[in-house]
Amino acid sequence: MTPAIFGLSGTQLTAEERAFFREADPAGYILFGRNCDNPEQLRALTDDLRSIQGRERLLVSIDQEGGRVARLRPPHWANYPAGEAFARLYAIAPASAIAAARANATAMALELSAMGITVDYHPPLDLRLPGAHDVIGDRAFGADPMQVAALGRAVLDGLAAGGVAGCIKHMPGHGRSDVDTHKALPTVTASAEELEADLAPFRLLNRALIGMTGHLVFTAWDAENPATLSPTVIADIIRSAIGFDGLLLTDDIDMEALGGTIPERAARAHAAGCDIILNCWGKMADMQGICNVVPTMSEVTAARLDRALAGTRIDPAMAPEQAELLATRDALLALTGTAA
């Protein structure tokens, strides 16, 4: 198996993609808006992906946080609020905010499971800090590490209840970024002592099954390499200081924060200690190049992948309780005057 997650070009597999995926046998796939037209089409596409290798459980993933990061949107799919809505509620009623976040995540997972999706890149555990770029912004669950961890745990639990594996991101913390990593490489100059706050939510949720790195340089730990490409950050900070032993993915290696060709980035990230390379844009030459430079998946990574997918399920249709969960969420969020 190739330790990579690949994107695809459209709403159906092309003959070239099908043949390539059959030979490459990637760890999984990621879906974007370009792949999701309507529920019937999307479920047919994910069924098709599962048929290629015939694995009982397959990593079919999506970025579905809510707010501006949502690949599935109305009118075909439900509307989900950004993390800020739950942070506002937490400020006046923490228990209600946790209940709302859990209900929201379970409703989301039931929808994803009915679409054949098993992994959601959610929740972000990045702090919302003053003066930072809004690439995180309203996606964050707040500025307080304990609050972020509490709401993040509710999301992980809610997703799991709906049969979907969550993913904590972006380790070791994206909240201090002064630029958008899709466009440029941020350099964080905060001290190791200051960065303890950024690590805290990840440390509290370090038993999550899947995690994702961030493309940021942290001068306190490695002034030369962004976290995704840094053996020091991955070994000493993510694996040791945070204590994360789950499946570690890169953030999308197509982002302009990273330099070099896509295969070069993939090789460096894998050598640095990332389990899985995330390559989102479905460009055949890039995907072939990744397969040429990364080794076959290790037994350690395979075991982490199996563990991550063990609790996932694919539902044949939308569960009826989804509507009740959304109503519960909305009633709780209404305490702050926030609508989904």
Side-chain angles (χ1 to χ4, degrees):
M1 193 183 301
T2 301
I5 294 168
F6 290 140
L8 40 146
S9 60
T11 56
Q12 296 179 328
L13 289 174
T14 66
E16 183 182 26
E17 286 171 336
R18 189 187 309 280
F20 169 70
F21 293 148
R22 183 176 292 114
E23 180 179 0
D25 190 16
Y29 305 91
I30 182 169
L31 302 173
F32 282 85
R34 65 179 182 268
N35 310 122
C36 308
D37 183 63
N38 62 73
E40 294 75 19
Q41 166 272 322
L42 180 53
R43 181 56 189 262
L45 176 61
T46 59
D47 285 346
D48 202 7
L49 288 171
R50 280 191 296 277
S51 74
I52 294 174
Q53 302 295 342
R55 292 204 289 274
E56 180 182 356
R57 288 188 174 89
L58 178 65
L59 193 159
V60 180
S61 62
I62 198 165
D63 257 321
Q64 188 76 353
E65 298 176 11
R68 56 195 163 100
V69 181
R71 314 309 180 196
L72 305 183
R73 294 179 177 273
H76 293 298
W77 294 284
N79 195 31
Y80 299 94
E84 182 180 48
F86 303 99
R88 282 200 209 104
L89 181 55
Y90 195 98
I92 62 172
S96 295
I98 290 169
R102 186 184 297 111
N104 182 71
T106 303
M108 185 184 291
L110 293 174
E111 189 168 73
L112 295 178
S113 178
M115 295 300 100
I117 296 167
T118 55
V119 172
D120 187 10
Y121 298 127
H122 188 38
L125 299 184
D126 312 300
L127 305 182
R128 188 171 191 175
L129 299 175
H133 191 279
D134 67 359
V135 64
I136 298 301
D138 66 355
R139 298 164 63 188
F141 289 118
D144 176 72
M146 293 296 292
Q147 173 178 320
V148 170
L151 291 171
R153 185 181 300 279
V155 170
L156 289 174
D157 291 346
L159 290 173
V164 171
C167 171
I168 58 173
K169 61 185 187 183
H170 307 78
M171 288 191 280
H174 210 311
R176 297 180 190 270
S177 178
D178 60 354
V179 297
D180 182 348
T181 46
H182 294 87
K183 301 297 182 184
L185 175 64
T187 297
V188 176
T189 58
S191 68
E193 290 75 18
E194 291 171 314
L195 290 169
E196 281 296 309
D198 304 61
L199 298 184
F202 296 103
R203 188 179 281 125
L204 288 166
L205 299 184
N206 64 8
R207 299 189 63 156
L209 298 173
I210 308 175
M212 179 183 289
T213 64
H215 304 328
L216 300 87
V217 169
F218 295 88
T219 59
W221 300 319
D222 184 343
E224 303 298 324
N225 301 294
T228 300
L229 307 180
S230 172
T232 298
V233 172
I234 291 173
D236 295 350
I237 305 304
I238 294 176
R239 294 299 192 192
S240 182
I242 291 174
F244 178 73
D245 190 39
L247 186 72
L248 185 63
L249 318 182
T250 70
D251 203 346
D252 180 15
I253 60 166
D254 288 89
M255 290 182 183
E256 294 177 29
L258 304 182
T261 67
I262 298 301
E264 287 169 348
R265 299 174 190 185
R268 289 184 62 194
H270 191 271
C274 293
D275 288 311
I276 302 285
I277 308 303
L278 179 60
N279 176 232
C280 293
W281 291 104
K283 298 175 183 176
M284 186 58 65
D286 288 343
M287 294 189 293
Q288 290 170 336
I290 291 170
C291 290
N292 290 335
V293 299
V294 297
T296 301
M297 184 181 294
S298 70
E299 291 183 4
V300 171
T301 294
R304 287 172 175 155
L305 176 61
D306 287 346
R307 189 163 66 244
L309 297 177
T312 62
R313 66 174 186 269
I314 302 300
D315 287 330
M318 183 67 69
E321 60 264 33
Q322 194 221 19
E324 298 175 11
L325 290 162
L326 292 175
T328 296
R329 173 203 69 187
D330 290 344
L332 292 166
L333 290 179
L335 296 171
T336 64
T338 300

